């Protein structure tokens, strides 16, 4: 991705902030990483299922435009969890962009966990917004990257892999999702 576009993307989405403080990785991520001290209510299998759900939904959307599916970038998934946790702590969308070697990133910041039944429903909701709502804006002629950037990132046919990460604050009332894209 062109450096000017990366800079623009980072700065525009840096504005996507809300209030949050104390954080811990997702319960499922914590179960996989003993260096994080949080009680796990999920298993590593549920985190794997969530990551699969994230990739499948993105690929289903990409298929509607005949775009090659993305493969899960399992090497960068743990990094993406940690990056989401750091962004949650800093309350800074895209605050650690690039730390997992990604070329694009979509963020769902400060999610009110009580509003969703599960991690899967969170990702479905946010990906729907990122794809369907932003695609409609693009098709209506909107060219402002801040309004359609998530959609443009997800449909970019030059990307070949995806890493989905999630983190929670210490009382699990807020979560943060990062979706990293790779060449």
């Amino acid at each position: 991705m062109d450096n000017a576009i990366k800079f623009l993307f980072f700065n525009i989405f840096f504005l996507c902030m809300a209030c949050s403080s104390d954080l811990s990785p997702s319960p499922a991520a914590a179960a996989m990483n003993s260096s994080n001290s949080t009680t796990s209510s999920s298993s590593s299998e549920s985190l794997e299922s969530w990551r699969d759900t994230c990739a499948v939904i993105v690929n289903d959307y990409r298929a509607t435009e005949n775009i090659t599916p993305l493969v899960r970038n399992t090497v960068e998934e743990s990094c993406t969890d940690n990056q989401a946790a750091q962004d949650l702590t800093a309350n800074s969308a895209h605050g650690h962009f690039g730390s997992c070697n990604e070329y694009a990133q979509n963020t769902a910041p400060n999610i009110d966990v009580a509003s969703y039944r599960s991690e899967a429903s969170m990702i479905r909701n946010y990906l729907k917004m990122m794809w369907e709502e932003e695609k409609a804006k693009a098709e209506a002629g909107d060219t402002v990257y801040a309004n359609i950037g998530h959609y443009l990132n997800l449909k970019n046919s030059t990307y070949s892999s995806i890493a989905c990460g999630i983190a929670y604050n210490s009382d699990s009332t807020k979560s943060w999702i990062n979706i990293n894209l790779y060449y």
Side-chain angles (χ1 to χ4, degrees), residues 1-2 5-6 62 67-71 97 102-105 145 152-162 180-183:
M1 180 187 305
D2 177 310
I5 292 173
K6 279 185 182 178
R62 288 170 64 94
I67 302 168
T68 306
L70 300 169
V71 297
F97 177 73
E102 70 276 12
Y103 292 95
Q105 180 182 80
Y145 195 78
L152 295 177
N153 287 340
L154 293 172
K155 74 173 245 154
N156 187 326
S157 63
T158 63
Y159 297 133
S160 62
S161 67
I162 186 172
N180 290 338
L181 300 157
Y182 301 85
Y183 289 117

Side-chain angles (χ1 to χ4, degrees), residues 20-49:
S20 181
S21 59
D22 192 22
L23 101 107
S24 60
S26 74
M32 295 173 57
N33 185 351
S34 61
S35 67
N36 296 313
S37 57
T38 188
T39 305
S40 174
S41 61
S42 296
S43 66
S44 59
E45 292 85 21
S46 68
L47 180 59
E48 288 303 302
S49 176

Side-chain angles (χ1 to χ4, degrees), residues 91-116:
N91 193 30
S92 177
H94 311 285
H96 297 84
F97 177 73
S99 66
C100 297
N101 304 307
E102 70 276 12
Y103 292 95
Q105 180 182 80
N106 289 359
T107 293
N110 290 307
I111 301 167
D112 179 12
V113 173
S115 299
Y116 298 93

